[in-house]
Each structure stands twice: as structure tokens, then as C-alpha cells.
Amino acid sequence: MKLLKDILFGASLTDVIGSTNVLVDNICFDSRKVKMDDVFVAIKGTLTDGHLYIAKAIDLGAKAIVCEELPDQTVEGVTYVEVKDGNTALAMMASNFYGNPSKNLKLVGVTGTNGKTTISSLLYQLFKKAGYKVGLLSTIKIMVDEEVYATSHTTPDALTINEHLHLMNEAGVEFCFMEVSSHGIHQKRTQGLVFEGAIFTNLSHDHLDYHKTFAEYRDTKKILFDQLPKNAFAISNIDDKNGAIMLQNTKAKKYTYALRTYADYRAQVLESQFDGTLLKINDHELWSRLIGHFNAYNMLAIFATADLLGMETLETLRLLSELENVDGRFQYFISGKKITAIVDYAHTPDALKNVLETISTLRTGNENVITVVGCGGDRDRSKRPVMGHIASEMSNQAIFTSDNPRSESPSSIIEAMEEGVEPQNVKKILSIENREQAIKTACQLANAEDIILIAGKGHETYQETNGKRIHFDDFEMVKEILKSLDK
């Protein structure tokens, strides 16, 4: 148990009823999970308001309540702490509760629209291969050295982050690489964390259902850099027009990387094939198993980070050449009939365009490109026609289908995608609501040497419809179908 006043250190308090000199057993922000002697933090969320469940938390044994608005009636023996912002208070409390674990390792945050998972996961791979104990906080999973933990958000809640950083401290982890989403920054999940450095990848159309404007989305990402300490490093993709903006107010040491413009870290794609890419990074040639210009940016960001964390250049280059692709990121399979199927997480217009451009550079021109793509329900609707336009414009055949429709009608999502299709491309599209049937149709339409791109879900192994999740793995599915067609 820990003293409430110690857990509250650094949080901005506006009022206190009762004593903070009391011992509490745990921190909880979900009233359903409150146990005896816990402190309950009432959060105003997007779907519900934790203040509505204060009485329930007390009934379950909460000894203290942290909230933005004190209730009209208080219960004797319970301490009430009013704070300016519940999310910030929760993050500071979580960090204090677990002994400020981010101070005891080198934490590097990766933010941007695309590339976060690839860069953070490959940095984890690289430093593991170099012999270090490493942690990972990513969309796909949480790693505490070699222990795997499931995750459901790109940036987990503050308690989950600090709990796993604490486990990393106990395991002797030296470096941790963390995806930092705009949602996570906006909801203050990263407050109280001490970053050794941060990486900006790029910025394109995404999450405008949440942030409302592109400027708000950009400025939220920028907060990560604005809050870096002066002894940290900030690495930014200067080829992206927002790259310079990220570095404007940071106190950290500034570094840039680019393929097209002058930068501290530069790369050039010398050769690109299905089995890899030949790169020149700061005058050193490197063969990478990763494919495409977007991965050249990822490799460059990884090289820069390893350099700034003190890894020797030739060792970094050797390890970069050994890195293997991340699940669901340009993951491909070639069937017995020489049909290539690619599964990629591309769920934004920019990511879809990047993957299709990469395919274009790898093909001879005689193959057909068949793209299976959908858009998620209950998410940014404005990108749907843009995704439809890109898929139909850059493919020989596009099949619009479901991609986690959630509470929305799959047909209405597909109709929104169809609105972006130009008249000359209408004959190139098919609309098949059932994702399995859409993938089967793509496989049946493909001939030898053709390329099938299945975009949107990548590493995800489920399909979410009306609050229910069923098992669905794009890579597993297309591999099985193509193998059956081989027979």
C-alpha cells in the first residue's frame, strides 16, 4: 500500500476533502474493477463520464476519489481530491505509484500517421539482436524483454504503460520503444513519462473523426516534441512538410532524416525488388529485406535512433540487414501458380498510395494488380472516397469490402468509397460486403504473376461487427485460398 499524498505528487489539485495521509492499495479508473482501499479516478471519457460512478466505487470499497468535480454529497471516511484534469492526474499518479519507471530506462517515442509500428518493432528487434534487454509498447503487442503481453490500443492507458515499464525495470530492460498515438497524447496518457528521444515519421489524413481538423491532429502530435527535456533528442522526417513544425519549439537536440532533401541522416534507394531493397545510408550501402520507399524512411529513422543511442555504425548496418518484416506490413506470399499476395495494414489514403506505388515499382507491367480494401466503421468518414479513388485509380481491379464495420452498415461504408471512383474507373471496381468472399474473388480473378493486395487490417486477427469480434486473419485466409487453388 502507498500513501495517497505520495501518489498525488505533481498532480494539480484544486481542493481536498479529508486527509491525503492515507494508505491506498491500488489506482483504478474503471468503477467495475474497484476493490477495497483503492483510489478511484473519475475520468470524463468520450463514451461515458466516470463521475457518474463515484457512488458505485465507494460502495465497492474505494478509500479515496480523485475527480474534476466534487460530488454534492460526500461520505465520511472517504477522501475526495479535486483536480484540474482527470487524465493528467491519472498519468502522474500512475507514474508515481510504479516508482516513475520511465526514469530508469531509455524510452523512445515514435509518432506520426504511418510507420509507428514498423519503426518501434524493428528497433526492438535491432537492440535485441545487439544483446540488450529491450521493451516494446506497440499496436501489435507489449514486450518486456522476451515476455509477451496483449494490447488493445496503440498507446495503452497510463496505468498499463507504467505497470509494464515497472515490469521492464524489474527485468533489467535498458531501452524501450513506444508507439505514441495522437489519441494517447490528447488523452494525456504519456504525461509524467521521461523520454530519451522521439521520432516523427509523417503526417497524412487520419483520425479526423476525433481531432476534427488536420491542424488539431498535427498540433497534438507536436506536443510530444514540445515536452521533451533538453537532454533528449528529436528526430524528424524533413521530407514531410510537417517535419520542421514538429521541431519548432522543442528543447531537445534536433536531428533530421530524408530521402529527397538535405538532412543529418540521408538515404538513397539504389535497387528495389520483391526480396529486398539496396540502400545507401550516409554513404554506407545496405541490403535490407524490407521493401519500398516507405520502408527506406523507416530504416533511416531506425539507423538515426540507433546512432543517437550510441550504437556503433557498422554494427547498426549489420543488424539492419538482418531485420525481418513486421506482421501485416507488406507481408507477402507467392503461391505455386506464381500469384503474389500482399497483406498490409494500409488503412489511410497515404499508406494505401505508398503500398500501391511500391508495387508499381516492383512489377514489370504485364501483371494485374488486384486490390481488396475497405474502411472501418465509426471512424473518419471523410477518407472513404479518397481510399476508393486511390484503389480504383492505381489498380487493374479494385474490390471494395468490409473492414471492421463496427456499428455501421457495410453497404453504406462501401457506397461512400464508391463516391471517390472516377467515371473511367467504374468498370474496374467490384463491391462485395463479405470480406472472405472478396478475398476469394480476388484469388479467383488472379492469373500467374498477378499481384493481390489485401489492405486495411494487416496484423489484426479479427473482424468487428456490431460489438462482436470473430476470428479473421487476412494473411491466413489468402494463403489458404491460394494453396487450395494450387491443387
Side-chain angles (χ1 to χ4, degrees):
M1 297 183 86
K2 301 199 175 183
L3 280 171
L4 179 61
K5 66 178 182 180
D6 293 340
I7 298 171
L8 288 167
F9 181 78
S12 183
L13 314 186
T14 55
D15 199 1
V16 177
I17 298 174
S19 173
T20 59
N21 198 33
V22 292
L23 288 168
V24 293
D25 193 50
N26 211 342
I27 304 169
C28 203
F29 64 93
D30 183 340
S31 62
R32 295 167 296 185
K33 298 177 181 177
V34 172
K35 293 185 173 64
M36 189 63 67
D37 295 331
D38 283 356
V39 52
F40 174 65
V41 185
I43 301 293
K44 291 184 177 179
T46 52
L47 298 176
T48 189
D49 185 349
H51 290 74
L52 300 173
Y53 305 98
I54 288 174
K56 179 184 175 183
I58 292 169
D59 287 343
L60 289 170
K63 185 181 279 187
I65 302 295
V66 175
C67 53
E68 292 178 21
E69 296 173 13
L70 293 170
D72 294 333
Q73 292 184 323
T74 58
V75 176
E76 190 155 346
V78 175
T79 299
Y80 295 83
V81 179
E82 188 179 56
V83 294
K84 284 185 178 179
D85 181 83
N87 283 304
T88 303
L90 175 64
M92 299 303 294
M93 291 168 70
S95 185
N96 292 330
F97 185 82
Y98 286 104
N100 299 292
S102 61
K103 290 182 178 179
N104 303 320
L105 46 71
K106 292 183 177 179
L107 178 64
V108 177
V110 187
T111 197
T113 305
N114 304 310
K116 295 188 297 296
T117 302
T118 299
I119 290 172
S120 55
S121 299
L122 292 182
L123 276 165
Y124 169 86
Q125 255 192 61
L126 184 117
F127 277 77
K128 278 296 290 176
K129 285 177 181 288
Y132 294 100
K133 290 195 170 187
V134 194
L136 173 69
L137 292 160
S138 81
T139 303
I140 297 175
K141 59 191 171 185
I142 295 172
M143 298 292 297
V144 177
D145 198 28
E146 294 181 5
E147 284 287 321
V148 186
Y149 297 84
T151 181
S152 58
H153 294 85
T154 303
T155 308
D157 65 78
L159 280 172
T160 302
I161 291 170
N162 283 280
E163 179 188 1
H164 287 90
L165 287 173
H166 172 67
L167 291 174
M168 290 177 200
N169 287 173
E170 291 187 328
V173 164
E174 296 177 65
F175 300 94
C176 177
F177 303 102
M178 175 182 179
E179 287 187 55
V180 182
S181 68
S182 57
H183 288 68
I185 296 169
H186 186 259
Q187 293 171 14
K188 312 294 195 307
R189 297 179 208 163
T190 55
Q191 288 286 320
L193 299 181
V194 179
F195 285 94
E196 180 76 13
I199 305 163
F200 169 72
T201 63
N202 50 63
L203 212 61
S204 65
H205 191 133
D206 201 19
H207 300 309
L208 298 192
D209 55 319
Y210 183 87
H211 293 290
K212 308 308 176 192
T213 69
F214 188 84
E216 185 188 319
Y217 176 45
R218 178 200 65 211
D219 293 345
T220 302
K221 295 277 190 190
K222 188 176 179 297
I223 291 169
L224 176 64
F225 295 88
D226 292 347
Q227 294 181 343
L228 288 174
K230 63 181 180 181
N231 60 338
F233 60 79
I235 310 173
S236 187
N237 173 8
I238 207 70
D239 277 346
D240 187 287
K241 62 185 179 182
N242 298 286
I245 294 172
M246 294 295 148
L247 300 178
Q248 276 176 356
N249 302 316
T250 187
K251 296 187 287 291
K253 297 164 193 166
K254 303 173 186 179
Y255 299 91
T256 57
Y257 68 97
L259 266 65
R260 299 194 307 266
T261 54
Y262 177 79
D264 298 306
Y265 297 91
R266 291 203 66 211
Q268 182 183 355
V269 177
L270 303 176
E271 195 177 317
S272 192
Q273 301 172 12
F274 255 117
D275 58 350
T277 306
L278 181 63
L279 293 169
K280 182 181 273 190
I281 297 180
N282 281 13
D283 296 324
H284 299 280
E285 284 197 9
L286 162 74
W287 178 260
S288 167
R289 299 178 192 179
L290 278 68
I291 304 162
H293 274 70
F294 61 93
N295 269 323
Y297 280 105
N298 294 337
M299 295 294 276
L300 191 51
I302 293 163
F303 176 86
T305 305
D307 183 53
L308 293 171
L309 289 173
M311 193 176 287
E312 199 270 323
T313 300
L314 293 180
E315 173 76 347
T316 302
L317 292 166
R318 180 182 71 80
L319 295 172
L320 280 171
S321 68
E322 296 177 7
L323 296 181
E324 297 175 1
N325 220 341
V326 179
D327 286 350
R329 270 66 177 175
F330 215 91
Q331 188 177 7
Y332 71 94
F333 166 78
I334 301 174
S335 75
K337 291 185 177 177
K338 304 297 180 190
I339 297 167
T340 300
I342 300 164
V343 170
D344 195 273
Y345 189 52
H347 63 288
T348 67
D350 192 53
L352 182 61
K353 186 170 178 258
N354 285 339
V355 173
L356 285 166
E357 281 177 346
T358 296
I359 291 170
S360 180
T361 64
L362 299 173
R363 61 190 293 214
T364 64
N366 298 319
E367 318 91 335
N368 283 320
V369 176
I370 303 167
T371 299
V372 179
V373 64
C375 290
D378 303 332
R379 296 293 186 269
D380 185 355
R381 288 170 167 81
S382 62
K383 71 181 180 184
R384 295 172 186 174
V386 187
M387 297 277 282
H389 169 74
I390 291 167
S392 59
E393 181 70 24
M394 299 181 71
S395 313
N396 299 95
Q397 178 82 60
I399 302 175
F400 296 165
T401 189
S402 296
D403 178 349
N404 294 333
R406 300 182 178 90
S407 69
E408 280 196 77
S409 156
S411 60
S412 66
I413 297 171
I414 290 170
E415 283 168 15
M417 293 179 69
E418 290 170 346
E419 288 172 13
V421 179
E422 305 255 341
Q424 69 271 19
N425 294 325
V426 169
K427 290 184 178 178
K428 290 161 65 177
I429 69 160
L430 289 171
S431 294
I432 302 172
E433 281 186 31
N434 183 286
R435 192 173 181 90
E436 181 178 352
Q437 189 56 51
I439 294 171
K440 278 183 181 174
T441 302
C443 294
Q444 289 162 348
L445 289 172
N447 296 311
E449 310 301 332
D450 284 352
I451 300 166
I452 301 168
L453 170 63
I454 304 169
K457 290 175 62 59
H459 64 281
E460 292 178 353
T461 55
Y462 60 85
Q463 180 82 311
E464 189 174 338
T465 309
N466 293 322
K468 293 182 181 176
R469 284 189 175 188
I470 59 164
H471 177 76
F472 198 100
D473 185 319
D474 281 353
F475 194 71
E476 187 183 275
M477 176 75 64
V478 72
K479 204 170 179 180
E480 189 179 299
I481 295 166
L482 286 175
K483 280 184 175 177
S484 70
L485 290 174
D486 286 342
K487 294 174 186 176

